[in-house]
Structures are given as C-alpha cells and as structure tokens.
C-alpha cells in the first residue's frame, strides 16, 4: 500500500502537526497558481510567493529526515535520493529550471552582486504578493 506524506500526516493524531498541515495546505492552495506558472513557464524563481507561503519548518525537517534516512540506508546511493526527490516533484522542477536557465539567485544576493563594492541599505516592507512589481533590480541599489 502506498501513502503520500501529506496523507500520512493528516492521519497522524498530533493536533499541532495537523493544524500546521491544514494552515500550510490552505496557504498553498491560495498560492498554487503562482507557483505553477512560475515553475512551468517562469524565468525567475518565485521568491516573493515562497516567502508568503511560509511553510512551517517541520515540513522541511521531514523532507530532510527522509532524504537523510534514504542516503544512510542505501549506503550513500544518490540515485535513491534522486528517485525520492523526483517522486516529491522537486527534481522535475530543478531540471526545468536548469533547462530554461531560470534565475534562482535570491533578490538580496542579486542586489549585492549588482552593487559590487557600493554600500547597500535594505528597507523591509510587507506587501501582498499580487500587488508588488519590484521593477528592475538595479533600482534597488542605493549607492549611499
């Protein structure tokens, strides 16, 4: 019998985990069209949508644990790890990103790269994902 990780977590009687799963699934449902468009056709990684998604750390910990267990149990067989990443849907996106030359550098890293040795000041503001048009990255650099 095959059961997916979200199905397993839903059936796990841990109230905090169940609540975290529900909250994460709700946020994902709202952002899924943005992720699908970015992952299927985009040329820039959807950092802003990912920040709005904000999945609870327990889920990345679970994935990390599963990958670590597979790696150890198979004596370091990276093909086994790649197979699980493919099953999770991660590997497919990585392959697409590489094929399409998707810009995956975090915006802060890109600003630092563009600024070179100039001083950069960051001002943080929170906005709705759909309402933000960052414009050219060069405009974010403050030569200060």
């Amino acid at each position: 019998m095959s059961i997916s990780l979200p199905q397993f977590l839903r059936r796990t009687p841990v109230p905090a985990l169940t609540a975290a799963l529900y909250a994460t699934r709700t946020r994902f449902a709202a952002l899924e069209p943005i992720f699908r468009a970015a992952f299927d056709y985009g040329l820039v990684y959807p950092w802003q949508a990912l920040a709005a998604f904000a999945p609870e750390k327990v889920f990345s910990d679970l994935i990390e644990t599963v990958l670590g267990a597979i790696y150890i149990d198979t004596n370091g067989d990276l093909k086994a790890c790649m197979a699980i990443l493919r099953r999770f849907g991660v590997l497919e996106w990585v392959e697409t990103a590489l094929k399409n030359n998707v810009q995956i550098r975090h915006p802060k890293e890109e600003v630092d790269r563009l600024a070179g040795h100039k001083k950069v000041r960051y001002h943080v503001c929170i906005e709705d994902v759909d309402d933000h048009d960052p414009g050219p990255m060069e405009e974010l650099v403050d030569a200060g």
Side-chain angles (χ1 to χ4, degrees):
M1 178 179 158
S2 176
I3 186 167
S4 71
L5 186 58
Q7 288 172 327
F8 173 76
L9 292 174
R10 249 182 303 173
R11 296 175 184 172
T12 304
V14 179
L17 191 56
T18 303
L21 179 62
Y22 178 78
T24 301
R25 289 176 60 99
T26 301
R27 286 192 306 273
F28 180 77
L31 294 166
E32 185 175 13
I34 296 169
F35 288 135
R36 292 274 176 232
F39 291 149
D40 292 344
Y41 311 108
L43 297 177
V44 177
Y45 190 83
W47 287 108
Q48 191 172 12
L50 189 62
F53 177 41
E56 281 76 3
K57 185 164 178 350
V58 65
F59 299 115
S60 62
D61 291 346
L62 282 168
I63 301 301
E64 195 175 314
T65 300
V66 168
L67 280 173
I70 291 170
Y71 183 80
I72 289 170
D73 287 352
T74 62
N75 294 317
D77 183 2
L78 291 180
K79 288 182 181 179
C81 294
M82 299 288 268
I84 197 69
L85 287 174
R86 184 170 303 285
R87 186 161 183 186
F88 288 160
V90 173
L91 196 56
E92 180 183 355
W93 186 83
V94 170
E95 290 167 346
T96 300
L98 289 171
K99 183 180 82 179
N100 295 339
N101 199 27
V102 173
Q103 179 196 355
I104 59 171
R105 184 179 288 135
H106 190 276
K108 184 180 179 297
E109 290 179 55
E110 183 67 9
V111 169
D112 289 341
R113 184 188 69 79
L114 292 169
H117 295 292
K118 296 177 183 175
K119 181 180 178 182
V120 177
R121 289 182 291 173
Y122 294 96
H123 303 276
V124 178
C125 63
I126 299 172
E127 300 178 17
D128 289 338
V129 173
D130 294 335
D131 296 339
H132 186 65
D133 178 13
M137 294 296 283
E138 289 84 359
E139 291 178 8
L140 298 175
V141 176
D142 180 355

